[in-house]
Amino acid sequence: MSSSKSLEWDVVVIGAGPAGYVAAIRCAQLGLKTACVDEWINHQGDASLGGTCLNVGCIPSKALLESSHLYQLANADFSAHGISASSLKMNVATMQARKDQVVSDLTLGIQTLFKANKVVSIHGRAKITAVDTIEISSRETRKKIDELKTRKIIIATGSSPVRLQQAPIENNCIIDSAGALELTEVPKTLGIIGAGAIGLELGSVWSRLGSQVTLIEAMQNFLPMADKKLAALAQRSLKKSLDIRLNARLVSASVKNKKVHIVYEDKSGEQKAAFDKLVIAVGRKPNSDRVFGEELGIEKDERSFILVNEHCRTSVPNIYAIGDVVRGPMLAHKGSEEGIMVAEHIAGNFAEVNYDLIPSIIYTHPEIAWVGKSENECRAAGIKIRVGSFPFVASGRARAMNETEGLVKIIADAKTDRVLGVHIFSAQASELIAQAVLMMEMQATAEDIALTMFAHPTLSETMHEAALAVHGRAIHIKN
Ligand code: NAI
């Protein structure tokens, strides 16, 4: 191995998604000479930073969720406020152009941040050829264009959609989540395989715009990772706009006369359905197969996730891996926090990620959000708990907003009163959950929250009332 003096870089980050670009910026802020290599090409054919999250994930989906929500409000809910919008029109091309603008502003923003922090951005495909060497090749020609020598490497190569053999993506009628964000017209009928976060969010977008959406989900329970009561509430509510078929496994899909014909199996046997478009949203897999050869000794698990310790160090000491390519939920914020932790470690500082407090959010309407343990998890672990919940129908602000659906539920340890989990199904749950994460990070008890003053009238007051309800002291509901 070369001596560190002859090395060109302190850190090379592979991947400029929310894990990689954040790691690169923090490394540079800490005085490390940092390069970030990324091969992403957007659908206009340009190099683009930000990875899946910015280009074809979190950001474009939220842009379309916002537009479609506004359309639905104008279409169905304005009348309750005494506003009529009788000649309402929707233009998918404008909606898509706005979404593309949001994406391009944000990806250009990363370029600006890189420049401001002196992170050198390199476009190309990176392969680790030795523990201190990264070969860069052109994504198009596959020819070697550069070789970097570095002291530390951070792998942040993200994940890709899982493909189904029985329904190959042909990018016209059978599409993946990226394709479902690019549709130029509203399909009359839309089938989605998988009722996870992606299926529910994309299903919400197109159903609000007028599509008849059917979700085919293999699992018996709806959102099995969520708190049971919340999942049941959400299922009942979402069923009004989405046809969610559980316990249904896709057998085959074929395109005939511009329609996708599927066969799936449920408890009554073989079923058939046909859609204008079919989206495959059955999970994502780590991008760990092209970044290094086996000879390097970087270990992976049986599902191809790169094995790392609690500080994201791989089995090769100077190589780290963060984000979707390692264990844990595939969430942008989890990857970003890992990026910061690794940068601090490389700079010789102490840092850690609290893996127990990663918030989860599904951006349907109402939104589903939670952090910490669910009631079912606590009971299975034999933890004695007290539960307090408060419905939005009893919140003054929620009523004023015409957003009375849902509830907040706080789970506290029966002995210590420490908050163990917070689960919310409501409008703006994605914003409300942040205060729960903060409370739990500060190790708050239900009493601490009960003794805190919340501004009136706000949706946040429901959190206060739920904390009061843990001890049977809620004011605005019968305990
Ligand atoms: P997922 O794993 O959340 O859901 C996929 C679903 O497909 C599962 O429920 C699974 O049972 C079902 N499935 C698998 N094979 C099937 C088959 N043959 N027939 C019928 N159903 C089948 O994966 P998803 O929704 O694709 O999301 C991928 C990743 O991206 C997840 O880790 C998710 O957390 C993350 N993500 C997070 C978002 C958020 O935080 N709001 C939004 C979008 C994605």
Side-chain angles (χ1 to χ4, degrees):
M1 189 175 152
S2 344
S3 79
S4 65
K5 262 195 172 165
S6 69
L7 297 176
E8 213 179 320
W9 300 96
D10 290 320
V11 185
V12 174
V13 182
I14 306 176
Y21 87 74
V22 169
I25 290 175
R26 188 64 196 134
C27 283
Q29 286 176 343
L30 289 162
L32 300 161
K33 195 178 171 208
T34 308
C36 184
V37 190
D38 195 288
E39 63 171 343
W40 195 283
I41 298 278
N42 64 19
H43 65 97
Q44 288 94 2
D46 301 320
S48 182
L49 301 174
T52 300
C53 167
L54 267 83
N55 289 287
V56 293
C58 317
I59 298 300
S61 63
K62 267 46 314 141
L64 291 182
L65 277 160
E66 196 62 36
S67 299
S68 58
H69 182 58
L70 290 176
Y71 176 67
Q72 193 184 38
L73 281 181
N75 219 354
D77 297 352
F78 274 14
S79 56
H81 295 269
I83 306 169
S84 66
S86 49
S87 58
L88 199 65
K89 284 197 186 81
M90 176 233 310
N91 185 322
V92 179
T94 310
M95 242 177 232
Q96 292 288 21
R98 189 194 81 94
K99 175 214 67 183
D100 289 343
Q101 192 61 50
V102 171
V103 168
S104 93
D105 288 350
L106 288 169
T107 56
L108 288 174
I110 301 177
Q111 261 185 41
T112 310
L113 287 171
F114 273 3
K115 276 198 193 114
N117 287 285
K118 300 197 170 57
V119 173
V120 173
S121 178
I122 300 172
H123 182 69
R125 177 168 292 177
K127 181 160 186 191
I128 308 170
T129 49
V131 291
D132 64 348
T133 311
I134 292 175
E135 193 178 289
I136 313 289
S137 58
S138 151
R139 180 191 156 120
E140 296 75 31
T141 63
R142 304 281 154 90
K143 288 207 175 107
K144 180 174 166 180
I145 47 178
D146 204 354
E147 189 173 86
L148 313 177
K149 288 279 178 187
T150 181
R151 221 160 43 82
K152 307 277 182 191
I153 296 171
I154 304 175
I155 304 171
T157 44
S159 59
S160 320
V162 167
R163 308 268 181 207
L164 286 179
Q165 246 180 358
Q166 63 271 42
I169 307 283
E170 38 78 278
N171 285 324
N172 187 20
C173 291
I174 307 182
I175 53 183
D176 62 10
S177 53
L181 291 167
E182 296 304 330
L183 294 177
T184 50
E185 52 189 67
V186 181
K188 265 207 184 104
T189 52
L190 178 69
I192 302 179
I193 311 297
I198 293 185
L200 291 170
E201 292 181 12
L202 290 173
S204 297
V205 167
W206 294 108
S207 101
R208 290 170 192 173
L209 297 179
S211 201
Q212 199 184 315
V213 177
T214 307
L215 291 119
I216 306 287
E217 166 56 56
M219 304 286 279
Q220 200 168 351
N221 298 321
F222 182 66
L223 292 181
M225 63 289 198
D227 182 89
K228 257 190 190 162
K229 183 167 180 186
L230 241 83
L233 266 183
Q235 185 182 1
R236 204 178 321 143
S237 167
L238 296 173
K239 259 170 128 178
K240 288 180 235 155
S241 53
L242 305 171
D243 179 354
I244 304 170
R245 303 186 190 172
L246 298 174
N247 219 346
R249 192 171 281 276
L250 184 73
V251 176
S252 68
S254 57
V255 180
K256 263 182 240 136
N257 301 329
K258 293 191 184 162
K259 283 233 172 218
V260 190
H261 297 262
I262 69 160
V263 177
Y264 66 94
E265 238 167 33
D266 65 12
K267 57 180 188 308
S268 329
E270 216 168 74
Q271 312 289 343
K272 287 185 177 150
F275 308 105
D276 294 319
K277 302 272 178 199
L278 182 71
V279 183
I280 309 297
V282 293
R284 300 180 61 88
K285 60 176 179 9
N287 292 333
S288 62
D289 54 349
R290 284 197 322 233
V291 212
F292 49 84
E294 263 180 36
E295 70 287 352
L296 275 184
I298 299 175
E299 289 171 24
K300 296 192 241 178
D301 71 10
E302 65 292 347
R303 294 165 61 213
S304 296
F305 287 97
I306 297 175
L307 286 172
V308 287
N309 69 6
E310 72 277 21
H311 295 126
C312 290
R313 200 187 273 258
T314 69
S315 41
V316 177
N318 68 317
I319 302 181
Y320 296 80
I322 56 174
D324 286 8
V325 81
V326 302
R327 83 283 176 264
M330 287 183 169
L331 297 171
H333 43 280
K334 174 259 192 189
S336 297
E337 291 304 316
E338 288 180 333
I340 291 170
M341 169 178 72
V342 166
E344 297 290 348
H345 268 260
I346 291 174
N349 301 331
F350 173 79
E352 58 185 18
V353 168
N354 185 353
Y355 286 98
D356 290 335
L357 293 186
I358 301 174
S360 294
I361 301 161
I362 302 174
Y363 295 81
T364 47
H365 188 80
E367 295 174 337
I368 309 157
W370 70 90
V371 61
K373 290 189 164 51
S374 65
E375 207 176 320
N376 17 314
E377 277 169 348
C378 289
R379 299 209 191 279
I383 305 169
K384 291 220 163 61
I385 54 172
R386 278 173 188 269
V387 179
S389 56
F390 190 79
F392 280 78
V393 73
S395 148
R397 183 67 191 277
R399 285 202 172 232
M401 291 167 68
N402 205 17
E403 292 285 5
T404 52
E405 204 174 348
L407 57 78
V408 171
K409 172 165 155 179
I410 294 181
I411 300 167
D413 188 298
K415 263 200 221 134
T416 64
D417 199 38
R418 271 270 296 274
V419 177
L420 302 176
V422 177
H423 305 265
I424 310 174
F425 177 56
S426 75
Q428 298 179 22
S430 55
E431 298 298 333
L432 295 174
I433 200 67
Q435 47 188 293
V437 183
L438 198 58
M439 287 163 191
M440 291 175 70
E441 200 53 76
M442 302 292 161
Q443 311 196 353
T445 60
E447 190 186 26
D448 290 330
I449 305 168
L451 291 171
T452 302
M453 194 184 295
F454 284 72
H456 176 76
T458 57
L459 295 182
S460 300
E461 284 172 295
T462 57
M463 194 81 81
H464 188 217
E465 289 276 356
L468 286 164
V470 169
H471 299 290
R473 294 167 42 203
I475 302 292
H476 293 89
I477 46 162
K478 195 170 175 299
N479 290 289

